[in-house]
Amino acid sequence: MDFTFTEEQQAAVEAARAVFSDVAPDRAPSPALTPGAVAEDIDRQLWHELARTDLLGLTLSPDHGGAGLDPIALCLVLRESAKVLARVPLLESCAVAMAIERYGDRTLAAELLPRAGRGELILTVGANGRSGHDPAELAVSARPYGAVTGAGDGETDGPAGGSGWVLDGVQSAVPWAQAADRIAVPAHTAGGRPVLALVPRTRDGVTLADQVSTNGERLAEVRLEAVRVEARELIDAAGCWDWLRSLLTTGTCALALGLSERVLAMTAEYTGKREQFGFPIATFQAVAVQAADRYIDLRAMEATLWQAAWRISTDTGGPLPAAGDVAVAKIWASDGVRRVVHTAQHLHGGFGADTDYPLHRYHAWAKQIELSLGPAAAHEEALGDLLAAHPLG
């Protein structure tokens, strides 16, 4: 496997590093010291800087003002963002924009995507369903207008006369929802087909209730009661939701890798300076072995991430669908990020719990990332189902 990045992808990394170099992990209050959410809004200053450097339009086509790069480039930028705990909806907004461009209505794409690339429009997505344990699309139903007004019997699986759709249901733990202009809501039709609705946050029938994540960020329970969307605001192309969820999961793996790399670097720096019995503790065999094990975790997280991102970017076939590579990447990301922060806390001793030191923030973000879009066990089960359906050999 050749994971050499293109010049354009490497340029995106350099641009991201330049933007994130001025971002401190403690730009928001500590989640350990703050009751409720650490902030009411995203980091607007950083968001505008990302827009100014064209990083928000990185994966959009030139037709919509973007650079035309692929999900690999997005993952490279996300990796850098996690190193500073960037409080922006970079993954969600870019991923939804890519889904719109790939599967959505062309007129809606022309209306939304240039604004999203300029940072004027924020997109997010509800990917957790009602509880986080069942498929997200089952939490919301999508019915054509005719089925509601009496023009149909409720059995149709498409918009009546092109009128549009009505959504009912709940999506829980939607990230950055209060700051978003549109929320991508997965839903199911009467025939059980998954669709994706692009719902304006201020649309009649949409209500948001505050929730707080493990890392102290503001989430929302998004409740939809007879919410009407136009036909062009709902993407019913086959494979759209599965592709978007795979991209979100792969992006989460990139966040886990970047965070883990930063935490291991912090641990190396600390153990290289902290002395016991007149020697840096990094020279002790027990410390070195634990750090080496975590380095191996990072290399496995990295290899599986780029394999998944490559499958999504190229649509290349394989013995398993791309979802298999995504599941493997998330298994390593969830287990790896947990092991890295736990080892870091152990090797830092009591200093790791000091709220004046940023490690406790990374620990909180790591737990959030570990469980986002399913823990390792959920993806192990999904991988088992794929292996059963596609026997190897």
Short mmCIF file of all heavy atoms in Angstrom, two decimals, residues 264-303:
data_model
loop_
_atom_site.label_atom_id
_atom_site.label_comp_id
_atom_site.label_asym_id
_atom_site.label_seq_id
_atom_site.Cartn_x
_atom_site.Cartn_y
_atom_site.Cartn_z
N LEU A 264 0.38 11.70 22.94
CA LEU A 264 1.61 10.93 23.09
C LEU A 264 2.83 11.85 23.07
O LEU A 264 3.81 11.63 23.80
CB LEU A 264 1.72 9.87 21.98
CG LEU A 264 2.81 8.82 22.19
CD1 LEU A 264 2.61 8.06 23.49
CD2 LEU A 264 2.87 7.85 21.01
N ALA A 265 2.78 12.91 22.26
CA ALA A 265 3.88 13.88 22.25
C ALA A 265 3.98 14.60 23.60
O ALA A 265 5.09 14.83 24.11
CB ALA A 265 3.66 14.89 21.13
N MET A 266 2.83 14.96 24.19
CA MET A 266 2.84 15.57 25.52
C MET A 266 3.44 14.63 26.55
O MET A 266 4.21 15.05 27.43
CB MET A 266 1.40 15.94 25.93
CG MET A 266 0.78 17.06 25.14
SD MET A 266 -1.01 17.20 25.44
CE MET A 266 -1.03 17.51 27.21
N THR A 267 3.10 13.35 26.43
CA THR A 267 3.61 12.36 27.37
C THR A 267 5.12 12.18 27.23
O THR A 267 5.85 12.08 28.23
CB THR A 267 2.89 11.01 27.15
OG1 THR A 267 1.48 11.20 27.25
CG2 THR A 267 3.34 9.98 28.17
N ALA A 268 5.61 12.16 25.99
CA ALA A 268 7.05 12.03 25.77
C ALA A 268 7.80 13.23 26.34
O ALA A 268 8.87 13.08 26.97
CB ALA A 268 7.33 11.90 24.27
N GLU A 269 7.23 14.42 26.15
CA GLU A 269 7.87 15.62 26.67
C GLU A 269 7.92 15.61 28.20
O GLU A 269 8.94 15.92 28.81
CB GLU A 269 7.12 16.85 26.18
CG GLU A 269 7.72 18.17 26.65
CD GLU A 269 6.96 19.37 26.14
OE1 GLU A 269 5.92 19.19 25.48
OE2 GLU A 269 7.40 20.51 26.41
N TYR A 270 6.79 15.20 28.81
CA TYR A 270 6.73 15.20 30.27
C TYR A 270 7.68 14.16 30.87
O TYR A 270 8.44 14.45 31.81
CB TYR A 270 5.30 14.94 30.74
CG TYR A 270 5.16 14.82 32.24
CD1 TYR A 270 5.15 15.95 33.04
CD2 TYR A 270 5.09 13.57 32.85
CE1 TYR A 270 5.05 15.86 34.41
CE2 TYR A 270 4.99 13.45 34.23
CZ TYR A 270 4.97 14.60 35.00
OH TYR A 270 4.88 14.50 36.37
N THR A 271 7.64 12.93 30.36
CA THR A 271 8.46 11.87 30.93
C THR A 271 9.95 12.10 30.65
O THR A 271 10.81 11.57 31.36
CB THR A 271 8.04 10.49 30.40
OG1 THR A 271 8.12 10.49 28.95
CG2 THR A 271 6.63 10.15 30.83
N GLY A 272 10.25 12.89 29.62
CA GLY A 272 11.65 13.22 29.36
C GLY A 272 12.22 14.24 30.34
O GLY A 272 13.43 14.33 30.50
N LYS A 273 11.33 14.99 30.99
CA LYS A 273 11.77 16.02 31.95
C LYS A 273 11.59 15.60 33.40
O LYS A 273 12.34 16.01 34.27
CB LYS A 273 10.99 17.31 31.70
CG LYS A 273 11.28 17.97 30.35
CD LYS A 273 10.44 19.23 30.17
CE LYS A 273 10.73 19.92 28.85
NZ LYS A 273 9.88 21.13 28.66
N ARG A 274 10.59 14.78 33.66
CA ARG A 274 10.28 14.37 35.04
C ARG A 274 11.33 13.37 35.51
O ARG A 274 11.57 12.34 34.87
CB ARG A 274 8.89 13.74 35.08
CG ARG A 274 8.49 13.18 36.43
CD ARG A 274 8.10 14.29 37.40
NE ARG A 274 7.43 13.73 38.55
CZ ARG A 274 8.03 13.31 39.66
NH1 ARG A 274 9.35 13.35 39.74
NH2 ARG A 274 7.32 12.84 40.66
N GLU A 275 11.95 13.66 36.63
CA GLU A 275 13.03 12.80 37.12
C GLU A 275 12.64 12.10 38.42
O GLU A 275 11.92 12.64 39.25
CB GLU A 275 14.30 13.62 37.37
CG GLU A 275 14.95 14.13 36.09
CD GLU A 275 16.31 14.74 36.37
OE1 GLU A 275 16.74 14.76 37.55
OE2 GLU A 275 16.97 15.18 35.39
N GLN A 276 13.10 10.87 38.53
CA GLN A 276 13.04 10.10 39.78
C GLN A 276 14.39 9.41 39.96
O GLN A 276 14.96 8.89 38.98
CB GLN A 276 11.91 9.07 39.74
CG GLN A 276 10.52 9.66 39.88
CD GLN A 276 9.45 8.59 39.98
OE1 GLN A 276 9.74 7.40 39.89
NE2 GLN A 276 8.21 9.01 40.16
N PHE A 277 14.90 9.42 41.19
CA PHE A 277 16.19 8.80 41.50
C PHE A 277 17.31 9.36 40.62
O PHE A 277 18.27 8.67 40.28
CB PHE A 277 16.12 7.27 41.34
CG PHE A 277 14.95 6.66 42.02
CD1 PHE A 277 13.91 6.09 41.27
CD2 PHE A 277 14.83 6.64 43.40
CE1 PHE A 277 12.81 5.53 41.89
CE2 PHE A 277 13.73 6.08 44.03
CZ PHE A 277 12.71 5.51 43.28
N GLY A 278 17.13 10.63 40.19
CA GLY A 278 18.16 11.29 39.42
C GLY A 278 18.14 11.03 37.94
O GLY A 278 19.05 11.46 37.22
N PHE A 279 17.12 10.33 37.45
CA PHE A 279 17.04 10.02 36.01
C PHE A 279 15.65 10.39 35.48
O PHE A 279 14.65 10.27 36.20
CB PHE A 279 17.29 8.52 35.77
CG PHE A 279 18.66 8.05 36.15
CD1 PHE A 279 18.89 7.49 37.40
CD2 PHE A 279 19.73 8.18 35.26
CE1 PHE A 279 20.15 7.07 37.77
CE2 PHE A 279 20.99 7.75 35.63
CZ PHE A 279 21.20 7.19 36.88
N PRO A 280 15.55 10.80 34.22
CA PRO A 280 14.23 11.01 33.61
C PRO A 280 13.45 9.71 33.61
O PRO A 280 14.00 8.64 33.30
CB PRO A 280 14.56 11.47 32.17
CG PRO A 280 15.97 11.95 32.22
CD PRO A 280 16.65 11.12 33.27
N ILE A 281 12.18 9.77 33.94
CA ILE A 281 11.40 8.54 34.02
C ILE A 281 11.23 7.89 32.64
O ILE A 281 10.91 6.70 32.55
CB ILE A 281 10.03 8.77 34.68
CG1 ILE A 281 9.17 9.74 33.85
CG2 ILE A 281 10.18 9.27 36.11
CD1 ILE A 281 7.74 9.88 34.38
N ALA A 282 11.44 8.65 31.56
CA ALA A 282 11.37 8.07 30.22
C ALA A 282 12.44 7.00 30.01
O ALA A 282 12.29 6.14 29.13
CB ALA A 282 11.52 9.15 29.17
N THR A 283 13.50 7.01 30.81
CA THR A 283 14.56 6.01 30.67
C THR A 283 14.24 4.72 31.40
O THR A 283 14.96 3.73 31.23
CB THR A 283 15.89 6.57 31.20
OG1 THR A 283 15.76 6.86 32.60
CG2 THR A 283 16.28 7.84 30.45
N PHE A 284 13.16 4.70 32.18
CA PHE A 284 12.78 3.48 32.90
C PHE A 284 12.08 2.53 31.93
O PHE A 284 11.23 2.93 31.14
CB PHE A 284 11.86 3.80 34.07
CG PHE A 284 12.48 4.71 35.11
CD1 PHE A 284 11.68 5.31 36.06
CD2 PHE A 284 13.83 4.95 35.13
CE1 PHE A 284 12.23 6.13 37.03
CE2 PHE A 284 14.41 5.77 36.10
CZ PHE A 284 13.59 6.37 37.05
N GLN A 285 12.40 1.26 32.05
CA GLN A 285 11.88 0.29 31.09
C GLN A 285 10.35 0.21 31.11
O GLN A 285 9.72 0.14 30.05
CB GLN A 285 12.47 -1.09 31.37
CG GLN A 285 12.09 -2.14 30.32
CD GLN A 285 12.71 -3.49 30.61
OE1 GLN A 285 12.86 -3.88 31.76
NE2 GLN A 285 13.08 -4.20 29.56
N ALA A 286 9.75 0.26 32.28
CA ALA A 286 8.29 0.15 32.37
C ALA A 286 7.60 1.31 31.66
O ALA A 286 6.56 1.14 31.02
CB ALA A 286 7.86 0.10 33.83
N VAL A 287 8.18 2.50 31.78
CA VAL A 287 7.62 3.67 31.09
C VAL A 287 7.83 3.56 29.59
O VAL A 287 6.90 3.79 28.80
CB VAL A 287 8.26 4.96 31.63
CG1 VAL A 287 7.83 6.17 30.81
CG2 VAL A 287 7.91 5.15 33.10
N ALA A 288 9.03 3.19 29.17
CA ALA A 288 9.34 3.10 27.74
C ALA A 288 8.48 2.06 27.04
O ALA A 288 8.02 2.28 25.91
CB ALA A 288 10.82 2.78 27.55
N VAL A 289 8.23 0.92 27.71
CA VAL A 289 7.42 -0.13 27.09
C VAL A 289 5.98 0.33 26.89
O VAL A 289 5.37 0.09 25.84
CB VAL A 289 7.47 -1.41 27.95
CG1 VAL A 289 6.40 -2.40 27.52
CG2 VAL A 289 8.85 -2.06 27.85
N GLN A 290 5.42 1.01 27.89
CA GLN A 290 4.05 1.50 27.75
C GLN A 290 3.95 2.53 26.62
O GLN A 290 3.01 2.50 25.82
CB GLN A 290 3.58 2.13 29.06
CG GLN A 290 3.38 1.12 30.18
CD GLN A 290 2.85 1.79 31.44
OE1 GLN A 290 1.71 2.23 31.49
NE2 GLN A 290 3.70 1.89 32.44
N ALA A 291 4.92 3.43 26.55
CA ALA A 291 4.91 4.43 25.48
C ALA A 291 5.07 3.77 24.11
O ALA A 291 4.43 4.17 23.13
CB ALA A 291 6.01 5.45 25.70
N ALA A 292 5.91 2.74 24.04
CA ALA A 292 6.10 2.03 22.77
C ALA A 292 4.82 1.33 22.32
O ALA A 292 4.48 1.32 21.12
CB ALA A 292 7.24 1.01 22.91
N ASP A 293 4.11 0.75 23.26
CA ASP A 293 2.83 0.10 22.92
C ASP A 293 1.85 1.11 22.34
O ASP A 293 1.11 0.82 21.39
CB ASP A 293 2.23 -0.55 24.16
CG ASP A 293 2.92 -1.85 24.54
OD1 ASP A 293 3.65 -2.40 23.69
OD2 ASP A 293 2.74 -2.30 25.69
N ARG A 294 1.83 2.29 22.90
CA ARG A 294 0.90 3.31 22.40
C ARG A 294 1.35 3.82 21.02
O ARG A 294 0.51 4.18 20.19
CB ARG A 294 0.80 4.47 23.38
CG ARG A 294 0.30 4.08 24.76
CD ARG A 294 -1.15 3.55 24.76
NE ARG A 294 -1.31 2.19 24.27
CZ ARG A 294 -1.10 1.09 25.00
NH1 ARG A 294 -0.70 1.20 26.26
NH2 ARG A 294 -1.30 -0.10 24.47
N TYR A 295 2.63 3.85 20.78
CA TYR A 295 3.12 4.22 19.45
C TYR A 295 2.65 3.21 18.41
O TYR A 295 2.26 3.57 17.29
CB TYR A 295 4.65 4.31 19.45
CG TYR A 295 5.23 4.66 18.09
CD1 TYR A 295 5.25 5.97 17.64
CD2 TYR A 295 5.73 3.65 17.26
CE1 TYR A 295 5.78 6.29 16.39
CE2 TYR A 295 6.25 3.96 16.01
CZ TYR A 295 6.27 5.28 15.58
OH TYR A 295 6.77 5.58 14.34
N ILE A 296 2.66 1.93 18.78
CA ILE A 296 2.15 0.89 17.88
C ILE A 296 0.66 1.12 17.61
O ILE A 296 0.19 0.96 16.47
CB ILE A 296 2.41 -0.50 18.47
CG1 ILE A 296 3.92 -0.78 18.51
CG2 ILE A 296 1.69 -1.57 17.67
CD1 ILE A 296 4.29 -2.03 19.28
N ASP A 297 -0.08 1.51 18.64
CA ASP A 297 -1.49 1.83 18.44
C ASP A 297 -1.65 2.95 17.40
O ASP A 297 -2.52 2.88 16.52
CB ASP A 297 -2.13 2.28 19.75
CG ASP A 297 -2.52 1.12 20.65
OD1 ASP A 297 -2.76 0.02 20.12
OD2 ASP A 297 -2.61 1.33 21.88
N LEU A 298 -0.83 3.98 17.50
CA LEU A 298 -0.92 5.09 16.55
C LEU A 298 -0.67 4.64 15.12
O LEU A 298 -1.37 5.06 14.20
CB LEU A 298 0.09 6.18 16.91
CG LEU A 298 -0.17 7.02 18.17
CD1 LEU A 298 0.85 8.13 18.25
CD2 LEU A 298 -1.57 7.59 18.16
N ARG A 299 0.31 3.79 14.93
CA ARG A 299 0.61 3.34 13.57
C ARG A 299 -0.55 2.49 13.02
O ARG A 299 -0.86 2.56 11.82
CB ARG A 299 1.91 2.54 13.57
CG ARG A 299 3.12 3.33 14.01
CD ARG A 299 3.58 4.38 12.98
NE ARG A 299 2.68 5.50 12.79
CZ ARG A 299 2.61 6.56 13.62
NH1 ARG A 299 3.40 6.63 14.68
NH2 ARG A 299 1.78 7.55 13.35
N ALA A 300 -1.18 1.68 13.85
CA ALA A 300 -2.33 0.90 13.40
C ALA A 300 -3.52 1.81 13.10
O ALA A 300 -4.23 1.62 12.11
CB ALA A 300 -2.69 -0.14 14.45
N MET A 301 -3.73 2.81 13.96
CA MET A 301 -4.81 3.77 13.72
C MET A 301 -4.59 4.50 12.40
O MET A 301 -5.54 4.73 11.64
CB MET A 301 -4.88 4.78 14.88
CG MET A 301 -5.32 4.18 16.20
SD MET A 301 -5.01 5.30 17.60
CE MET A 301 -6.19 6.61 17.25
N GLU A 302 -3.35 4.85 12.14
CA GLU A 302 -3.04 5.60 10.92
C GLU A 302 -3.25 4.74 9.67
O GLU A 302 -3.89 5.17 8.70
CB GLU A 302 -1.60 6.10 10.98
CG GLU A 302 -1.22 7.01 9.83
CD GLU A 302 0.17 7.61 10.00
OE1 GLU A 302 0.96 7.07 10.79
OE2 GLU A 302 0.45 8.61 9.32
N ALA A 303 -2.74 3.52 9.68
CA ALA A 303 -2.86 2.66 8.51
C ALA A 303 -4.33 2.34 8.18
O ALA A 303 -4.73 2.39 7.01
CB ALA A 303 -2.08 1.37 8.73
#
